[in-house]
Amino acid sequence: MSEHTVSPRSPADLRGVAVVGSGRALPRTRVSNDDLSALVDTSDDWIRSRTGIGARRLAGPGESVTTMATEAARAALNHAGWDADQLDLIILATSSPDDLFGTAPRVQAALGAHQAVAFDLTAACSGFLFALVTAAQYIRAGSMCRALVIGADQLSRWVDWTDRRTCVLFGDGAGAVVLEACAPDRDDLLAFRLRSDGSRQACLTLAHRERLRDVQGGFTTEEGGFHPIAMNGQEVYKFAVREVPIVLAQVLRDADLEARQVDWLLLHQANQRILDAVAERFSVAPERVLSNLESYGNTSAATIPLMLDEAVRDGRVQPGHLLATSGFGAGLSWGAAVLRWSGPPPSGSATAEPPST
Ligand code: ACO
């Protein structure tokens, strides 16, 4: 058992947040659009033209949120050159935990991060961004020095595989970044805004299934269980193309930047048409928009760190580059941030991505 000892408060000259490493992990099984056409009434052409998705990875036996999150975390720690026991904090953003009481402690144990406090955070596809900002606040407050932020989801658990409107969209995976206290004038989180609107929650749900159970002794309780994912795709689409540009414009203004000064647009990977619409709104050229939808689909809380790590490792994102990022999804929840990448330059080192089967 680990006992968290609160780190000594960091001095006021170390209240900035540096983003110093990243990692990712994907399950082995690759499922193509054609594979799904054998399952539901759909086609590769429909899925590609409406979403940009060509395939997705799905977790199989022996793979879970814990295993994917742990692999992504290990890769991020190695990238930064850290030992797990240097961590003060682990936040796991997930909506598909292995244990509703918390999956982050399992990851903490698997990593051997004995000094870290670990907890889950749920904000659907905005989860990674919300977790990143939360971890940054601990560092800025001076109570933590080193944090690991993971986005990991296994929505294949909660997809209705007979519903062609949703089952083609989602994949499983994990991504992670590590954050370190640094001088305030080197702070890599240049601006952020987070938003929620529960009045539109019904657009996208993974809701508790109401089923009553009579308990001997004369009282009635509800039984645990959830409905599969249900989505009003058109409403979610309209929400994203309306709100994401607004919140991105706000963070760019907060950071005193124009869109043309940002190196990369890194949006939650939900739909290529959403990425294209937002890029057009900010006159960002397609080659500056990061997208891996073709390979992995929507991996929920994992999309942003997974995409970041891919672009860091292949050399597109270089130390000092600025990224405008936005997460959006169920809740409804959304937000944006301007980030600088301060991690190591690409080394060509292997990632935690296994070959597909
Ligand atoms: N294959 C073939 N036809 C399909 C499929 C499919 N996989 N899915 C839906 N259709 C059909 C519909 O049944 C409908 O047929 P009908 O006209 O005969 O009724 C027709 O295609 C059009 O359906 P729409 O829902 O209007 O299709 P749309 O162009 O809106 O595309 C999509 C659907 C891709 C889901 C789009 O609305 C979208 O991407 N929305 C945003 C989704 C999103 O971003 N989700 C984020 C989730 S993040 C989180 O927090 C988990």
Side-chain angles (χ1 to χ4, degrees):
M1 201 178 102
S2 76
E3 185 182 331
H4 177 242
T5 47
V6 177
S7 311
R9 287 178 68 80
S10 56
D13 60 353
L14 281 181
R15 302 281 171 91
V17 181
V19 185
V20 295
S22 66
R24 70 184 189 276
L26 287 149
R28 282 180 295 276
T29 304
R30 178 182 180 276
V31 175
S32 70
N33 292 342
D34 286 335
D35 293 332
L36 289 184
S37 306
L39 205 64
V40 290
D41 183 14
T42 190
S43 65
D44 181 57
D45 182 52
W46 193 98
I47 301 170
R48 278 183 194 276
S49 61
R50 300 289 178 117
T51 69
I53 298 168
R56 69 286 295 141
R57 297 292 187 93
L58 301 182
E63 296 171 321
S64 65
V65 170
T66 303
T67 64
M68 294 188 293
T70 303
E71 275 187 57
R74 281 205 184 103
L77 290 169
N78 287 341
H79 200 206
W82 292 4
D83 291 329
D85 59 12
Q86 290 177 282
L87 287 169
D88 301 315
L89 172 67
I90 299 171
I91 307 181
L92 171 62
T94 187
S95 306
S96 45
D98 293 343
D99 186 329
L100 286 179
F101 283 159
T103 303
R106 295 184 182 205
V107 176
Q108 181 237 19
L111 291 172
H114 307 293
Q115 300 300 318
V117 64
F119 59 88
D120 292 8
L121 183 152
T122 299
C125 298
S126 310
F128 175 77
L129 186 64
F130 282 34
L132 180 82
V133 169
T134 302
Q137 302 316 301
Y138 280 99
I139 292 175
R140 286 177 170 175
S143 49
M144 306 273 180
C145 291
R146 288 194 164 107
L148 167 66
V149 181
I150 311 165
D153 264 311
Q154 192 175 344
L155 288 187
S156 61
R157 286 172 165 163
W158 298 110
V159 161
D160 175 353
W161 290 101
T162 65
D163 178 8
R164 67 176 183 176
R165 292 166 303 161
T166 51
C167 77
V168 301
L169 303 175
F170 299 105
D172 302 329
V177 297
V178 286
L179 307 178
E180 182 173 39
C182 67
D185 61 354
R186 285 184 41 226
D187 198 315
D188 289 336
L189 182 58
L190 277 64
F192 70 85
R193 299 242 184 164
L194 305 180
R195 302 290 310 278
S196 304
D197 181 2
S199 72
R200 289 189 275 173
Q201 175 265 347
C203 289
L204 182 47
T205 56
L206 201 178
H208 179 244
R209 186 195 299 272
E210 285 179 29
R211 200 156 43 194
L212 297 180
R213 173 175 55 182
D214 290 325
V215 181
Q216 269 190 345
F219 56 91
T220 302
T221 65
E222 281 193 49
E223 207 170 88
F226 292 85
H227 291 284
I229 293 168
M231 181 174 72
N232 181 332
Q234 288 193 1
E235 283 305 312
V236 176
Y237 185 90
K238 281 189 273 183
F239 145 73
V241 296
R242 177 183 150 73
E243 301 293 357
V244 171
I246 293 172
V247 77
L248 270 174
Q250 286 170 338
V251 293
L252 286 168
R253 202 166 46 241
D254 294 345
D256 202 17
L257 289 168
E258 306 274 345
R260 63 182 163 75
Q261 295 172 281
V262 170
D263 298 287
W264 300 102
L265 192 56
L266 171 51
L267 305 184
H268 167 51
Q269 309 279 301
N271 184 318
Q272 189 62 43
R273 288 191 294 154
I274 296 174
L275 271 55
D276 294 344
V278 175
E280 194 181 322
R281 158 74 180 71
F282 288 99
S283 305
V284 173
E287 56 273 18
R288 288 171 51 215
V289 182
L290 295 172
S291 174
N292 58 13
L293 269 161
E294 215 280 326
S295 305
Y296 308 127
N298 179 349
T299 54
S300 193
T303 67
I304 291 176
L306 209 162
M307 182 67 252
L308 174 66
D309 186 60
E310 194 175 307
V312 162
R313 306 269 182 170
D314 70 20
R316 278 176 287 175
V317 172
Q318 297 281 334
H321 274 186
L322 291 176
L323 300 109
T325 185
S326 177
F328 54 89
L332 295 177
S333 61
W334 68 104
V338 180
L339 281 181
R340 184 173 30 234
W341 170 253
S342 287
S347 59
S349 60
T351 70
E353 179 177 358
S356 66
T357 55

